[in-house]
Every structure is written in structure tokens, then in C-alpha cells.
């Protein structure tokens, strides 16, 4: 049940003239995982050439993507609400729709670029002229002399002191920052080196006539006009984008599909007149695949089922390297499918090994619920999960939303029937622990509605023994023991899956050495540890059943260690303390539940009395409410992180480490995935 | 007297293991962020690797809670 789908290898042979039909038929059927052909695998064969339409299609695709960039299309806008008919889009593309749009778009883009360039020119001219407005000179005053030249630039201090040895005329701006110095032509170098003492940096003076201030005013007027023009062009671009958005997106998709199809021969072996394709097809569908392909290609290709791959590693080792690893098509139910995300986050399961998605779908929410175990937070998790599921389309968020709902449901069950707790407070206090559990919901509600009690059938211990609520802080040892037991069972199943994996891949003998040995060590450690805790902590004497138990445990442990040593050498012995650590690691189930309940209780302790005893009047009430809300929000966020992450971590590290190797190939059949286009009639693409 | 010592012991157990976890996580965390810059899809693995040393503080927390039970 947990294994990936069984795969069969098929061989498709035909004459080259039928290759295009065959590729289209394969994409239509959508079952075949093509095995890439690499040059030189077989004498007389070579890699095929793309279909003739590939060049045009990919050229158009490049044009489209360039246009998308110009129009500023973002990844998130790339989903149309109403898919467009693929046939119409193809007709539009064929009648040079893309080329026309490109012409229209780029004439606008060109004029926009031109305006932008003109604007930049004017802006830089203004920047050059701006400092000159501080000097009382017109532009023509700086040029056109026979014997003198002008040096214009910024200075830090008054330059007259350092220029006193050179014949000159100085114009200094009122701010003292800009200076124009007129010197005889031969003295420019000398003047420049003298000016370096006041931090002089030269500026260029633009050509032209008139006072800089007037020129700037003129330029700014022009800039304003250009800005208006640019806005108009931008609006044009915007309307062009709105008008053609569906065409652009749909034809991009259509062309991407066409390009992919047309380049499929690059993965196929061809000779002068024929082609040969190798592909993996799920075994249960192989007959219908064969039948459908023969029908769709009008019996012009030969399809042969070469083998159905077994799960033994040796069987795979013996084949050619490109046929060694069949792809893993994971086989799970509706919910298990969603949890595949969390498994593939680590790695894709191999063809020969169990895929734990379905099991994780059961145990992770269970662990999560045990750690949260609070009716209040449970409802929050369920509601948030439902909202996420409703809003999202991405696999990641779908997986997280599902986990939130299932985790929330378990948290609700544990919170209601095991701990009887909401927002860190019990419904009814059957246990009065002074200083810790200060109040309960029944008392609070009774304060508002006098005489309120929860119905007896809901809370009566004699009728429903668990509903009284275990106080997390009173029953610490029970809860710790519970989490250790959960850990032992969980690890046991982990090793068991490992056992069957090895048995399937190699042999029963190896499975016993590699995995059964660890199961025995686990059982032995548990038995010995149980007796030791009874002796050391409970102070019992070593007699009766305990003697048999510790003896048996030591025996099982020893046998397991010997088997493991034969199977894996010294490693097996070194991993012994690891098993012990793994078991203890599950105590986090209780530790996190306790820490969260503790923090929640602390916030309740701070806020409840402000709220309901009425200390501090209105201000007390408001601050109590604030503390309550912010505090519980904080605990909730901590629950997401701690309960969620630690729950999955127990699976990834402690549990999957016992059997999961990963490194499988994803099953990627040749198939067309349309989002923005749709096919009206039944056709390939 | 005993109660006080137990409380101090519990505090030390949680505090020191917390420091140890943090110390270990800081290196993994910065490496994980570095890896994520190269490849976004490593977020999941990075997050998991980063919380691995959290086990240390969990053991401390369990010890602390058990010690509190002795008070």
C-alpha cells in the first residue's frame, strides 16, 4: 500500500514520418515517462532533430517574453480568470498576431524611450546650469575672448587670497561656493594649481546664450510638457496591456506547449528512417496505454512492453544504467497525496521503498494535537486552516492548511476529552492547586450568568471519565511516560517499515541483520529501562516478575546487538545509545504541551483578575483584555512553531531515519498542463 | 532550603541547555540562510536542520519540569 506505483518499461518504434503524430499522441495520453536517450548509446542511432515548427515557435516565445517585460507583467498576474480557447489562439498566432502586437507595442515603447531620453538630457542640462544662476553672468560672457579664458567651478573658501600672484578677475557667488575666474590664456594651468588650495573642482559651462536662470525656466517648461507626453504614452501602454493581456498569456502558454512538443525528438533515438523511444508507464495502465497509442497513431507504430520492474535492488542493478531507476509515482489517497509534499521536502522516495506520506498524514496531526491540546487554540487552527485552504492554490499552503485543520481537530479532541482546557484554563476545577490553576471557565461564566454550571453529563467524571480534565502540571510523570510509550511504538513501526524495505530490496536474511536486530535492541532497551526505573525511582526490590523481565530484556538486547554487529559491524553497537536518545526525544510531546500551558496560564494569571474581579476599574479591565489577547496570540504563534516544527521533526529525524533513504526520480509523464487556454474539442494540443 | 536548590537546579537545567541549543542553532541557521539565497527550495530542509539542536533544550525542559515536581 505504501509503495510507489509499479512501473513497466515500454518500447515504442516507428518510422520517422510518424514521429510527430506519436509525440502528440503521447502528450495526449499523458502516461509515459520518457527515458532520455543519450548520444552513443546504440550504434546506428543518434539524437533526433526538433520538429520544423520549433524554430518559429520559440522565436515567437522570446518575442512574447520580451513584450511581457516591457509591459511589466508580474508572475502573479499570469493567471487568467477565464481560459481562452486554444484553437482561436493558434489561429491568431498563425495570422501573425504576435508580430502585429510587437509592432504596435514597440512603436509606443520607442516613443516612450525617446521621451525619456529627452527628459534626461534636459534634466542634466538643468543640473549643469543650476550653480551658474548664482553668478551675475550670461552664458555668452564665458566664451569668445581672444586673450582671456574663464575657469568656473566650486570652491570651499574665498579664492582671492591664493590667486593674488596671478592677474585675474573674480566673480564669487553670494553663498561663496561658486566662482568664475577670468585669467590670461597662458596662466590657466598656474591658476588651477593655485586654486587647489581652496578645494576647487571645475564645472563645464554649457554652450548657449542668455542668463542661466531664464534658460532653466524654459527647460523646466519643456520638461513639464515631456512629462505629460510620457503619462499619455504610459496610459497607452496600460490600455494596450489590458486589451491584449489574455492574448499574451494564452499565446505564451500555447507556444510553450508547442515548443516543448516540438523539441521532444531531442530526447529520442532516431536512425535515418525510424525512431525508438523508451518510456516508463504505470503497470496497471500499460495495456490501456498500448491500446490507446496504437489507436491514436492509426496502428503506424509498434509498442512493446519490455519488462515490469520488481522491487529488488539486484534486478535494477543488472540493467543498463539509464534503465536502472524507474520513476516513483507515489500512490496515496486524497489526504495522503497532500502530505506527499512534506515527504518530498526531504526527498522523493525511491522506487523500491515505502512512501510514508499516508502515515505522516495520521501521526503528525496526532502529535500536533497532543502538544497543543487546548480547545481555544484548536478552533483557531481549524478556522485558519480552512481559510488557507479556501484561498490558496499552491501545494505548499494547501499542505500547511490541511495540517492546520487536522492538527486542530486532534487538539480539539485532546483538549475537550483529555485535558478539559480552553486558553490554558480548565472548564471545571476538580483539582485545586493553590497558586497555579487559579480559576476555571465555570466560575468565570457563573460570575456573568449567575448560577451557571456545565451540564453534568458533559463534566461528570463517573459518566465520562476523561472529561474532568487532566491537570497538565499535576500529572507530569504520567504524561512523560505516555510520550515515551508513544515514542517506543512509533519507533517500532519505523523499524518495521525498514525491515520490510530491506526484505523487499535484498533478502529476509539481510533484513534480519539490518533491521530486526534494531527492533530487538529497542525492545531489550525498553524492558531493561523499565525494570531499572522501577528499581531506582520507585525503590522496588529485584524479585519476581522484574527479574524475568530484566533477564529477558538483557537477552533480547544481546541477541539484537550480535545480529546487528554481524549486519552492520561496529556501527550497530555505536547506535545503541542513539535508540535511547530517540525514545527520550519523544518527551518533547509533553514538554511542549506543558511549556505552552504554562505560558498561557501565566498570561491568564495576569489578566483574569483584572478582568473579572474588577481591580483597577476601566483601565484595569482594558489592560487585562490587552494582556489576555496579546498573550494568547503569542502562545498561539509559539504553538505554530513549536508544535508544528517539533511534530514534523520527530517524523523526519527520529522516525524516517529508521527506514527512509530517498533519492528517487520524480514521475514526470509527457503531458500538457493548461491554465490559460482550453481545448474545446478532443485534440492533442 | 531544599526547595530553593531544586528551583535553582531547574532554572540551570533549562537556561544552560537553552544557551547550548542557541549556540548550535546560530551556526546552522546562518548556513541555512546562506544556502537559501542560492536556492529557495532549501527553505524546508534549512528549517528542519535549524531546529535539530532544539532537542538539547527539550531535554533540559523535561528535567526542569521533573525537578519542579520534586518541590
Amino acid at each position: 500500500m505504501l509503495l510507489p506505483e509499479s512501473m513497466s518499461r515500454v518500447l515504442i518504434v516507428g518510422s520517422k514520418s510518424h514521429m510527430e503524430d506519436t509525440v502528440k499522441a503521447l502528450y495526449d495520453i499523458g502516461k509515459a515517462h520518457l527515458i532520455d536517450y543519450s548520444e552513443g548509446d546504440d550504434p546506428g542511432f543518434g539524437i533526433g532533430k526538433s520538429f520544423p515548427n520549433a524554430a518559429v515557435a520559440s522565436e515567437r516565445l522570446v518575442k512574447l517574453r520580451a513584450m511581457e517585460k516591457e509591459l511589466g507583467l508580474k508572475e502573479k498576474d499570469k493567471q487568467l480568470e477565464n481560459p481562452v480557447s486554444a484553437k482561436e489562439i493558434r489561429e491568431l498566432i498563425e495570422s501573425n498576431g504576435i508580430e502585429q502586437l510587437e509592432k504596435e507595442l514597440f512603436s509606443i515603447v520607442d516613443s516612450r524611450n525617446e521621451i525619456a531620453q529627452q527628459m534626461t538630457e534636459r534634466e542634466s542640462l538643468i543640473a549643469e546650469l543650476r550653480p551658474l544662476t548664482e553668478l551675475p553672468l550670461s552664458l555668452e560672457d564665458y566664451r569668445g575672448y581672444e586673450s582671456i579664458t574663464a575657469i568656473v567651478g566650486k570652491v570651499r573658501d574665498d579664492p582671492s587670497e591664493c590667486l593674488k600672484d596671478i592677474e585675474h578677475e573674480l566673480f564669487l557667488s553670494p553663498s561663496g561656493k561658486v566662482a568664475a575666474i577670468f585669467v590670461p590664456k597662458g596662466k590657466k594651468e598656474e591658476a588651477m594649481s593655485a586654486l587647489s588650495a581652496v578645494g576647487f573642482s571645475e564645472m563645464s559651462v554649457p554652450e548657449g546664450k542668455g542668463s542661466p536662470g531664464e534658460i532653466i525656466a524654459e527647460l523646466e517648461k519643456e520638461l513639464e510638457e515631456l512629462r505629460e507626453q510620457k503619462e499619455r504614452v504610459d496610459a497607452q501602454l496600460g490600455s494596450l496591456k489590458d486589451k491584449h493581456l489574455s492574448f499574451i498569456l494564452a499565446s505564451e502558454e500555447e507556444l510553450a506547449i508547442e515548443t516543448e512538443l516540438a523539441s521532444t525528438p531531442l530526447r529520442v533515438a532516431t536512425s535515418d528512417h525510424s525512431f525508438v523511444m523508451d518510456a516508463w508507464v504505470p503497470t496497471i495502465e500499460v495495456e490501456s496505454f498500448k491500446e490507446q497509442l496504437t489507436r491514436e497513431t492509426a496502428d503506424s507504430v509498434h509498442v512493446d512492453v519490455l519488462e515490469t520492474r520488481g522491487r529488488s535492488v539486484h534486478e535494477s542493478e543488472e540493467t543498463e544504467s539509464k534503465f536502472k531507476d524507474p520513476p516513483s509515482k507515489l500512490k496515496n489517497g486524497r489526504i495522503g497525496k497532500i502530505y506527499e509534499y512534506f515527504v518530498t521536502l526531504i526527498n522523493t522516495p525511491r522506487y523500491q521503498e515505502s512512501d510514508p506520506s499516508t502515515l505522516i498524514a495520521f501521526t503528525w496531526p496526532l502529535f500536533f494535537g497532543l502538544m497543543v491540546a487546548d480547545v481555544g487554540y484548536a478552533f483557531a487552527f481549524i478556522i485558519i486552516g480552512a481559510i488557507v485552504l479556501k484561498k490558496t492554490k499552491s501545494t505548499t499552503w494547501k499542505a500547511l492548511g490541511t495540517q492546520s485543520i487536522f492538527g486542530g481537530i486532534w487538539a480539539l479532541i485532546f483538549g475537550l476529552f483529555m485535558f478539559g482546557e480552553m486558553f490554558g484554563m480548565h472548564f471545571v476545577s476538580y483539582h485545586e492547586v493553590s497558586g497555579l490553576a487559579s480559576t476555571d471557565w465555570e466560575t468565570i461564566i457563573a460570575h456573568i450568568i449567575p448560577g451557571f454550571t456545565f451540564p453534568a453529563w458533559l463534566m461528570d467524571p463517573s459518566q465520562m471519565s476523561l472529561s474532568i480534565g487532566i491537570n497538565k502540571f499535576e500529572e507530569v510523570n504520567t504524561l512523560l511516560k505516555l510520550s515515551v510509550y508513544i515514542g517506543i511504538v512509533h519507533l517500532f513501526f519505523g523499524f518495521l517499515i525498514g525491515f520490510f524495505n530491506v526484505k523487499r530490496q535484498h533478502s529476509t536474511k539481510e533484513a534480519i541483520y539490518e533491521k530486526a536486530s534494531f527492533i530487538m535492541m529497542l525492545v531489550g532497551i525498553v524492558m531493561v529501562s523499565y525494570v531499572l526505573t522501577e528499581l531506582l525511582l520507585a525503590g522496588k526490590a529485584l524479585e519476581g516478575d522484574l527479574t524475568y523481565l530484566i533477564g529477558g530484556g538483557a537477552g533480547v538486547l544481546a541477541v539484537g546487538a550480535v545480529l546487528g554487529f554481524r549486519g552492520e559491524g561496529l556501527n550497530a553497537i555505536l547506535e545503541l545509545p542513539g535508540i535511547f536518545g530517540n525514545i527520550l526525544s519523544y518527551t518533547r510531546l509533553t514538554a511542549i504541551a506543558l511549556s505552552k500551558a504554562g505560558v498561557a496560564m501565566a498570561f491568564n494569571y495576569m489578566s483574569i483578575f483584572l478582568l473579572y474581579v474588577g481591580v483597577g476599574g476601566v483601565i484595569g479591565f482594558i489592560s487585562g483584555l490587552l494582556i489576555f489577547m496579546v498573550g494568547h496570540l503569542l502562545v498561539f504563534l509559539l504553538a505554530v512553531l513549536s508544535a508544528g516544527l517539533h511534530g514534523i521533526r520527530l517524523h523526519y529525524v527520529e522516525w524516517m531515519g529508521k527506514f527512509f533513504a530517498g533519492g528517487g526520480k520524480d514521475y514526470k509523464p509527457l503531458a500538457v498542463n493548461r491554465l490559460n487556454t482550453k481545448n474545446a474539442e478532443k485534440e492533442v494540443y | 532550603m531544599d526547595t530553593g536548590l531544586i528551583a535553582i537546579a531547574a532554572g540551570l537545567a533549562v537556561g544552560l541547555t537553552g544557551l547550548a541549543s542557541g549556540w548550535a542553532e546560530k551556526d546552522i541557521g546562518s548556513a541555512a540562510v546562506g544556502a537559501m539565497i542560492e536556492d529557495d527550495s532549501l527553505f524546508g530542509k534549512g528549517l528542519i536542520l535549524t531546529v535539530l539542536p532544539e532537542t538539547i533544550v527539550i531535554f533540559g525542559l523535561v528535567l526542569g519540569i521533573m525537578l519542579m515536581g520534586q518541590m
Side-chain angles (χ1 to χ4, degrees):
Chain A
M1 145 206 161
L2 298 166
L3 281 172
E5 195 97 60
S6 167
M7 286 283 164
S8 293
R9 183 153 60 89
V10 296
L11 181 74
I12 304 160
V13 186
S15 98
K16 239 178 170 174
S17 55
H18 291 116
M19 182 147 75
E20 193 159 351
D21 293 338
T22 313
V23 169
K24 283 181 185 174
L26 285 176
Y27 271 92
D28 185 34
I29 299 168
K31 298 270 160 54
H33 177 102
L34 195 65
I35 303 168
D36 285 347
Y37 174 78
S38 40
E39 192 77 61
D41 277 0
D42 304 290
F45 282 93
I47 289 177
K49 288 194 180 70
S50 343
F51 297 137
N53 58 341
V56 185
S58 56
E59 196 183 308
R60 282 178 171 152
L61 197 57
V62 171
K63 279 182 191 163
L64 264 179
R65 295 204 167 134
M67 284 195 258
E68 281 178 8
K69 210 171 155 238
E70 286 297 340
L71 289 173
L73 277 184
K74 301 254 163 37
E75 205 53 49
K76 64 175 164 48
D77 312 324
K78 287 202 173 176
Q79 172 89 48
L80 289 178
E81 275 183 22
N82 301 312
V84 185
S85 152
K87 194 161 167 256
E88 280 171 29
I89 285 297
R90 260 200 306 284
E91 278 162 11
L92 279 172
I93 296 173
E94 282 310 311
S95 58
N96 288 332
I98 293 174
E99 283 75 6
Q100 281 165 20
L101 179 61
E102 191 192 24
K103 235 165 132 185
E104 194 180 345
L105 173 70
F106 278 96
S107 74
I108 301 176
V109 169
D110 284 347
S111 64
R112 187 186 63 177
N113 290 349
E114 182 146 330
I115 294 168
Q117 196 197 340
Q118 287 180 6
M119 283 170 72
T120 331
E121 274 170 21
R122 280 165 179 68
E123 273 159 8
S124 63
L125 200 55
I126 290 176
E128 277 180 15
L129 286 170
R130 183 81 62 200
L132 298 181
T133 53
E134 293 185 32
L135 296 172
L137 297 168
S138 296
L139 283 185
E140 62 263 30
D141 296 339
Y142 292 99
R143 285 197 176 77
Y145 304 107
E146 268 173 29
S147 58
I148 56 172
T149 186
I151 308 172
V152 187
K154 288 188 174 150
V155 287
R156 275 205 301 269
D157 297 313
D158 190 338
S160 33
E161 185 64 21
C162 62
L163 286 170
K164 63 176 187 286
D165 296 336
I166 304 164
E167 186 187 350
H168 72 278
E169 187 180 359
L170 171 72
F171 295 90
L172 194 61
S173 70
S175 65
K177 298 285 176 209
V178 186
I181 303 123
F182 292 84
V183 292
K185 266 190 175 156
K187 297 269 183 175
K188 186 175 177 186
E189 297 281 307
E190 204 183 322
M192 290 287 275
S193 59
L195 279 168
S196 62
V198 289
F200 179 80
S201 70
E202 195 173 6
M203 298 184 310
S204 68
V205 178
E207 305 270 346
K209 283 187 173 163
S211 91
E214 282 165 16
I215 299 173
I216 286 178
E218 188 67 28
L219 286 171
E220 270 173 352
K221 226 164 84 190
E222 284 174 34
L223 255 183
E224 195 52 44
E225 270 167 35
L226 285 170
R227 241 175 243 131
E228 274 167 26
Q229 275 181 37
K230 185 162 182 277
E231 266 167 35
R232 274 200 297 278
V233 174
D234 281 340
Q236 255 179 329
L237 269 183
S239 67
L240 197 69
K241 174 176 156 185
D242 294 340
K243 196 170 135 200
H244 294 292
L245 184 70
S246 64
F247 172 66
I248 292 174
L249 294 182
S251 52
E252 187 199 352
E253 185 172 290
E254 183 61 37
L255 286 170
I257 292 170
E258 197 180 328
T259 315
E260 197 193 325
L261 244 90
S263 57
T264 309
L266 297 174
R267 304 170 62 192
V268 175
T270 56
S271 68
D272 290 343
H273 302 290
S274 58
F275 71 90
V276 179
M277 290 180 195
D278 289 296
W280 291 107
V281 176
T283 308
I284 50 164
E285 288 165 318
V286 80
E287 282 310 316
S288 68
F289 170 80
K290 203 172 152 180
E291 190 256 329
Q292 205 177 344
L293 185 62
T294 323
R295 196 180 60 232
E296 286 195 19
T297 54
D299 220 354
S300 56
V301 294
H302 177 72
V303 188
D304 222 355
V305 182
L306 292 184
E307 60 156 334
T308 294
R309 181 61 57 86
R311 311 289 178 169
S312 159
V313 173
H314 307 289
E315 198 180 321
S316 289
E317 291 297 323
E318 284 160 10
T319 52
E320 251 181 89
S321 70
K322 63 177 172 176
F323 303 137
K324 232 174 220 167
D325 299 309
S328 309
K329 182 180 187 233
L330 303 184
K331 201 166 71 178
N332 287 298
R334 223 165 58 93
I335 293 162
K337 195 130 228 105
I338 298 171
Y339 278 81
E340 278 172 13
Y341 170 78
F342 297 109
V343 175
T344 47
L345 203 60
I346 293 293
N347 219 320
T348 307
R350 289 172 64 206
Y351 179 69
Q352 293 91 348
E353 73 182 351
S354 307
D355 156 30
S357 310
T358 307
L359 295 175
I360 291 181
F362 176 71
T363 42
W364 185 21
L366 181 77
F367 288 178
F368 184 87
L370 206 58
M371 283 186 266
V372 175
D374 186 295
V375 177
Y377 302 134
F379 276 119
F381 276 116
I382 294 173
I383 292 166
I384 289 177
I387 293 172
V388 168
L389 275 194
K390 212 172 148 55
K391 295 255 169 192
T392 185
K393 278 185 181 154
S394 91
T395 337
T396 313
W397 285 106
K398 226 165 145 179
L400 292 173
T402 313
Q403 165 63 15
S404 179
I405 290 187
F406 285 142
I409 290 172
W410 277 111
L412 184 67
I413 292 171
F414 285 123
L416 208 56
F417 297 117
M418 195 162 153
F419 297 103
E421 213 173 290
M422 186 160 88
F423 290 120
M425 227 177 342
H426 286 264
F427 289 114
V428 185
S429 299
Y430 280 88
H431 319 263
E432 206 50 63
V433 186
S434 57
L436 284 178
S438 344
T439 187
D440 57 67
W441 285 105
E442 197 173 60
T443 321
I444 290 176
I445 299 175
H447 187 75
I448 303 161
I449 309 164
F452 175 87
T453 50
F454 282 111
W457 56 266
L458 191 68
M459 292 297 150
D460 187 350
S462 63
Q463 288 184 30
M464 198 185 268
S465 59
L466 283 176
S467 64
I468 51 165
I470 296 172
N471 188 317
K472 284 178 184 163
F473 294 95
E474 251 190 0
E475 306 289 344
V476 175
N477 284 336
T478 319
L479 291 173
L480 280 176
K481 271 185 202 161
L482 176 73
S483 60
V484 167
Y485 294 149
I486 291 175
I488 293 167
V489 174
H490 202 225
L491 286 176
F492 183 82
F493 277 105
F495 280 124
L496 209 60
I497 298 171
F499 178 81
F500 285 111
N501 271 347
V502 178
K503 182 171 179 284
R504 198 180 306 118
Q505 292 164 6
H506 301 281
S507 65
T508 313
K509 199 174 136 196
E510 277 177 66
I512 289 174
Y513 283 143
E514 278 180 33
K515 297 295 172 184
S517 58
F518 276 96
I519 296 181
M520 291 172 88
M521 285 191 257
L522 174 73
V523 173
I525 287 177
V526 170
M527 285 162 79
V528 172
S529 307
Y530 175 76
V531 177
L532 285 180
T533 44
E534 289 291 297
L535 295 181
L536 298 174
L537 296 180
K540 288 187 188 164
L542 183 59
E543 56 186 11
D545 288 349
L546 289 183
T547 326
Y548 299 127
L549 211 54
I550 197 169
V556 174
L557 181 62
V559 174
V562 170
L563 284 176
F565 185 72
R566 282 199 58 182
E568 290 187 8
L570 213 54
N571 256 352
I573 311 300
L574 290 177
E575 275 181 38
L576 253 176
I579 298 180
F580 193 69
N582 284 164
I583 297 174
L584 285 186
S585 193
Y586 281 81
T587 52
R588 74 185 64 220
L589 294 176
T590 295
I592 286 168
L594 284 181
S595 64
K596 237 188 332 291
V599 179
M601 204 163 70
F603 281 118
N604 286 342
Y605 196 71
M606 284 189 260
S607 60
I608 290 295
F609 280 95
L610 287 175
L611 285 176
Y612 111 107
V613 183
V615 187
V618 181
I619 298 169
F621 187 82
I622 292 171
S623 50
L625 205 62
L626 265 179
I627 292 172
F628 188 81
M629 289 190 323
V630 172
H632 283 289
L633 185 71
L634 192 81
V635 181
F636 178 77
L637 292 178
L638 276 176
V640 176
L641 275 183
S642 56
L645 271 182
H646 283 287
I648 194 67
R649 177 223 129 95
L650 281 177
H651 287 85
Y652 282 160
V653 182
E654 273 79 8
W655 189 59
M656 274 162 74
K658 302 290 171 280
F659 63 89
F660 190 78
K665 268 198 261 176
D666 289 326
Y667 171 68
K668 285 186 190 139
L670 301 178
V672 169
N673 182 18
R674 290 180 183 278
L675 290 170
N676 293 333
T677 53
K678 60 172 186 240
N679 268 330
E681 67 269 55
K682 172 97 181 94
E683 57 174 353
V684 183
Y685 83 108
Chain B
M1 175 66 184
D2 272 0
T3 323
L5 284 177
I6 290 172
I8 290 172
L12 282 177
V14 178
L16 290 177
T17 49
L19 271 178
S21 291
W23 197 339
E25 277 176 26
K26 83 160 198 248
D27 288 339
I28 305 172
S30 56
V33 169
M36 257 146 59
I37 289 169
E38 296 280 322
D39 181 357
D40 267 354
S41 68
L42 288 174
F43 175 76
K45 268 178 214 172
L47 196 64
I48 295 300
L49 287 174
T50 310
V51 297
L52 276 192
E54 201 116 313
T55 310
I56 307 171
V57 72
I58 295 287
F59 287 164
L61 189 61
V62 170
L63 271 181
I65 290 168
M66 288 175 81
L67 282 169
M68 295 277 281
Q70 306 290 317
M71 275 167 80

